[in-house]
Amino acid sequence: MTSVVPLENATFIRPPTFYVNGLYNMPHANYYYMFLCFVYAVTVLGNSFIMGTIYLARTLHTAKYIAVFNLALSDLGGSSALIPKYADMFLHENQYISYEDCLTSMFFVFLFMTLQSFTLLALSFDRVIAICFPLRYHAIVTKTTMTLIIGVIWVISVSIVTVLVALVTRLSFCRSTVVGSYFCDNGPIFRLACNDNSPNYMMAYVYVSVVLCIPLTLIAFSYVCIGVALLKISHGAERIKAMKTCTSHLILVAMFYLPIFSVYITALTTYLHPNTRIINSVLTQTIPSMLNPIIYSLKTEEVLQSIKVLYKRIKVNFTIEDSIKSIAKN
């Protein structure tokens, strides 16, 4: 039953459910949803592995890896908020979602996306201090400082997303409740409202500016500073060594921001078929989360060394256990 609440001289209509449209009339769409399940499995394994490695390896108990741990947690949370629920809905062709579940899903999807963006900014702060002020790095970027930065990031992220979602609760839906997206997306939902949704439009612009544009601008500025600092290094070998410490972060930044802005700009400049837009958007939100731990494992020497040390430690422990068992049997 649709809940109808009188508000002064108007009628406020809150629907019991929304219908998430997903891919429309696309042949073999189930294979695409199954592919997303595979992406999710790799994401869970990869990010759990990175978090476990950081937790177990004492050499990674540094300020930088507090931020890397938070990024892995955000990647895992973002994929968990998006893929399992909606893959299940579309595979079982039950695309109705309750009003409350829809807003809860919206909150967590946007929360973890916000955390990803701000954490990449925190990692750029780490890199700019490490290269521009190497002698003062350990005095400035301490574990306490990074913990405080991550804490502030969580507070800001929760606050922004809470306002974003709370503004949806003031909307009345007296017409269609079909969401033209692959999840309970903020824009497609507030556009369905039949009362004033101008605050939602304003908040959407604020969100894009604060969460995407400002962090990317600051990251770009930090790499300009890094570039200037690298030019001052006289020895080519030291310059290349310093540049290598930024490689992983640069790849993560490119993978996160470029697809998002590409989808936005393409949507603004040309007509995109809804299915094409949905596929691009889903891949934009899920593939970076899957690839981030792989990139950090393969491109970061500290992580590779820690994995090797942990592997040797586990191998030694198993050897000792086998020896004890053999002695006990004899």
Side-chain angles (χ1 to χ4, degrees):
M1 288 287 290
T2 302
S3 54
V4 180
V5 184
L7 276 179
E8 296 174 359
N9 296 325
T11 302
F12 181 83
I13 300 173
R14 177 173 290 175
T17 60
F18 286 105
Y19 181 85
V20 182
N21 210 23
L23 297 171
Y24 182 71
N25 282 346
M26 180 177 167
H28 311 298
N30 281 358
Y31 292 112
Y32 178 67
Y33 299 128
M34 289 168 69
F35 167 70
L36 288 182
C37 293
F38 167 76
V39 168
Y40 179 63
V42 176
T43 302
V44 171
L45 289 171
N47 285 290
S48 298
F49 179 74
I50 280 290
M51 288 191 291
T53 302
I54 293 169
Y55 178 76
L56 293 170
R58 291 184 180 179
T59 53
L60 299 182
H61 291 183
T62 61
K64 175 186 174 182
Y65 285 96
I66 291 172
V68 173
F69 187 94
N70 193 63
L71 182 64
L73 180 65
S74 304
D75 288 338
L76 184 58
S79 290
S80 298
L82 189 64
I83 297 177
K85 174 72 176 175
Y86 294 99
D88 178 65
M89 282 172 61
F90 295 128
L91 285 170
H92 292 94
E93 296 182 355
N94 179 23
Q95 289 158 246
Y96 287 96
I97 183 169
S98 71
Y99 180 87
E100 291 77 13
D101 285 351
C102 187
L103 294 194
T104 302
S105 171
M106 184 192 298
F107 175 84
F108 284 108
V109 170
F110 278 91
L111 172 64
F112 288 115
M113 190 194 302
T114 307
L115 286 168
Q116 286 168 323
S117 183
F118 286 151
T119 305
L120 288 171
L121 177 59
L123 284 166
S124 75
F125 165 74
D126 172 83
R127 288 301 82 207
V128 79
I129 299 298
I131 292 171
C132 297
F133 308 99
L135 299 177
R136 298 184 61 196
Y137 175 76
H138 292 291
I140 298 171
V141 187
T142 62
K143 286 196 278 188
T144 304
T145 305
M146 189 57 77
T147 304
L148 186 63
I149 289 169
I150 297 300
V152 170
I153 283 171
W154 272 87
V155 170
I156 293 171
S157 299
V158 169
S159 302
I160 292 172
V161 178
T162 299
V163 174
L164 190 81
V165 176
L167 285 172
V168 176
T169 63
R170 56 171 290 282
L171 299 177
S172 180
F173 301 90
C174 55
R175 295 189 292 267
S176 172
T177 55
V178 177
V179 182
S181 186
Y182 57 97
F183 76 105
C184 287
D185 199 350
N186 183 56
I189 286 179
F190 74 66
R191 289 190 190 97
L192 297 173
C194 50
N195 61 338
D196 179 27
N197 59 7
S198 55
N200 300 79
Y201 270 102
M202 284 190 289
M203 188 59 201
Y205 285 118
V206 169
Y207 179 85
V208 171
S209 300
V210 172
V211 174
L212 297 175
C213 297
I214 292 175
L216 182 58
T217 303
L218 291 173
I219 290 169
F221 178 72
S222 72
Y223 274 99
V224 169
C225 296
I226 287 170
V228 171
L230 289 175
L231 290 173
K232 292 179 182 177
I233 298 174
S234 55
H235 299 290
E238 287 182 15
R239 190 182 302 165
I240 291 167
K241 187 180 177 182
M243 285 173 65
K244 280 184 177 178
T245 65
C246 300
T247 308
S248 299
H249 181 252
L250 269 173
I251 294 171
L252 300 189
V253 168
M255 283 197 314
F256 181 80
Y257 290 104
L258 290 181
I260 291 175
F261 281 105
S262 298
V263 170
Y264 274 121
I265 292 166
T266 307
L268 289 171
T269 54
T270 59
Y271 171 75
L272 270 182
H273 189 279
N275 286 350
T276 306
R277 179 178 56 80
I278 286 171
I279 289 170
N280 288 342
S281 299
V282 174
L283 295 178
T284 294
Q285 283 188 267
T286 56
I287 297 299
S289 297
M290 179 183 75
L291 295 179
N292 285 355
I294 297 169
I295 289 164
Y296 251 101
S297 299
L298 297 177
K299 298 291 291 182
T300 309
E301 188 64 31
E302 296 159 306
V303 176
L304 275 173
Q305 288 301 320
S306 297
I307 290 169
K308 288 174 184 176
V309 169
L310 286 172
Y311 174 73
K312 286 178 183 176
R313 189 194 302 172
I314 292 166
K315 197 174 178 181
V316 168
N317 288 341
F318 272 118
T319 305
I320 293 169
E321 283 180 16
D322 288 340
S323 300
I324 292 169
K325 284 177 184 177
S326 299
I327 294 166
K329 284 179 182 178
N330 295 329

